[in-house]
Amino acid sequence: MGRDTSPLHSVSGPTPPESDRPFDATVAAVGQVDPLPIRLRHVEKHFGDNHVLRGIDLEVPAGQFLAIVGKSGCGKSTLLRLLVGLDQPTAGSIDFHRRPGENAGGSARIVFQEPRLLPWATVADNVVVGLGEGVDKTAAHRRALNALHEVQLGDKADQWPSRLSGGQRQRVALARALVSRPGLLVLDEPLGALDALTRITMQQLVSRVWRELGCTAVLVTHDVAEAVNLADRVIVLDEGRIVLDLDVPATHPRRHGDLQLAVLERQLLEAILGDG
Ligand SMILES: Nc1ncnc2c1ncn2[C@@H]1O[C@H](COP(=O)(O)OP(=O)(O)OP(=O)(O)O)[C@@H](O)[C@H]1O
Ligand SMILES: [Mg+2]
């Protein structure tokens, strides 16, 4: 993959919602992926009396695909928000240790369960939003088309989001995250609202895109089958602590129903349900 040196682009129109805004537009033009390693040291997060994360220690090597599973309310989304800098830990440190003192900034992108597309913008313009401000308009459009091709939606560039299916909208959200070639891709239950078959197709897409891009990926999911299908490693969070850290040694791409994966799924379920 060659380095894209196109300048930054200015996106006109209304300001997108906070969660859809690029984190640091000045770094958004980097073409080739430089996967971010992540290190968390004794990370705590409180919301008033609610002690949500309790001493999280975690090292994620550059390029790893990490999945996080756990009961509703155990702190998964809170942890993701800290990773991409949308919130700050109450105590402890998070660093991306090739760059001491820097946060993931413009090199991190997040995809949520709902695609959060701008209804008044075309599919291509929704993807351009992921580049931030200052990129030349023609270059931005070309890069958006490339990202749409990566998610097999090249033919939908001029459509309105309202004309797409749920799975297609989520692929646009993925393209918007990929267009800046992020070093860290964070996914908060991105397939949770999709039907079972679309979900499997999307899992294959996410797996392929991650392998091609070479970024570090952190996925939150409720689905242990999805976690072992996609990730190199799965951690289980319970009441703000890591209670299991499991390697998934199988090679990619993986097959649903594989016996080795089924054993890991069972181990994860037991840890989540607390009867292991
Ligand atoms: N901004 C906030 N202000 C106050 N409390 C919050 C805030 N964000 C999260 N919380 C609380 O932190 C706890 C963990 O929430 P979080 O969203 O991280 O859970 P989760 O594991 O992602 O759950 P789910 O699987 O349902 O998405 C919950 O008790 C929630 O109410
Ligand atoms: Mg959540």
Side-chain angles (χ1 to χ4, degrees):
M1 207 179 310
R3 184 168 286 275
D4 185 341
T5 52
S6 45
L8 293 165
H9 169 71
S10 166
V11 182
S12 57
T15 307
E18 186 228 14
S19 54
D20 284 345
R21 265 181 248 151
F23 301 106
D24 179 358
T26 59
V27 202
V30 177
Q32 198 163 33
V33 168
D34 183 12
L36 284 183
I38 310 167
R39 182 166 52 197
L40 286 84
R41 286 276 177 269
H42 315 308
V43 167
E44 308 267 334
K45 183 66 183 175
H46 307 180
F47 293 107
D49 292 340
N50 192 356
H51 203 156
V52 176
L53 297 177
R54 300 163 183 256
I56 301 282
D57 286 304
L58 182 66
E59 296 245 5
V60 185
Q64 185 170 70
F65 197 130
L66 173 77
I68 305 175
V69 296
K71 287 184 190 136
S72 181
C74 72
K76 303 181 296 295
S77 296
T78 301
L79 183 56
L80 293 193
R81 290 175 63 81
L82 298 184
L83 286 181
V84 298
L86 286 172
D87 204 350
Q88 300 304 315
T90 312
S93 65
I94 300 178
D95 74 87
F96 303 91
H97 49 97
R98 282 199 200 138
R99 302 169 174 74
E102 262 185 45
N103 62 25
S107 195
R109 288 292 183 274
I110 186 163
V111 179
F112 297 97
Q113 182 168 2
E114 57 309 334
R116 304 186 183 195
L117 303 181
L118 306 172
W120 58 84
T122 63
V123 162
D125 284 342
N126 266 282
V127 175
V128 164
V129 167
L131 284 171
E133 302 199 344
V135 181
D136 165 80
K137 207 169 178 178
T138 311
H141 193 73
R142 174 176 52 75
R143 289 174 65 174
L145 288 183
N146 285 344
L148 284 168
H149 277 292
E150 277 176 334
V151 300
Q152 292 153 2
L153 280 182
D155 58 335
K156 302 288 186 198
D158 299 326
Q159 287 275 7
W160 300 108
S162 59
R163 304 289 294 271
L164 303 183
S165 70
Q168 289 171 333
R169 281 180 212 166
Q170 203 53 331
R171 278 191 272 160
V172 177
L174 184 59
R176 182 181 53 198
L178 297 175
V179 70
S180 65
R181 325 312 287 167
L184 172 60
L185 179 63
V186 170
L187 305 151
D188 195 354
E189 298 191 54
L191 314 182
L194 304 177
D195 67 85
L197 285 178
T198 308
R199 206 174 162 127
I200 288 176
T201 314
M202 284 289 286
Q203 285 169 6
Q204 290 163 346
L205 178 73
V206 168
S207 177
R208 178 178 59 73
V209 160
W210 164 71
R211 280 179 279 130
E212 286 173 3
L213 200 63
C215 61
T216 308
V218 181
L219 166 79
V220 160
T221 176
H222 274 113
D223 180 348
V224 291
E226 182 168 291
V228 298
N229 197 265
L230 289 173
D232 295 319
R233 173 185 180 193
V234 187
I235 59 171
V236 178
L237 271 191
D238 188 28
E239 296 184 354
R241 290 193 177 88
I242 297 174
V243 294
L244 182 67
D245 188 340
L246 195 68
D247 280 332
V248 185
T251 53
H252 292 276
R254 296 175 183 157
R255 293 163 62 89
H256 278 274
D258 183 296
L259 199 59
Q260 184 192 9
L261 298 183
V263 172
L264 297 176
E265 276 177 43
R266 186 181 179 86
Q267 218 177 322
L268 288 168
L269 271 181
E270 285 172 353
I272 294 168
L273 299 172
D275 58 357

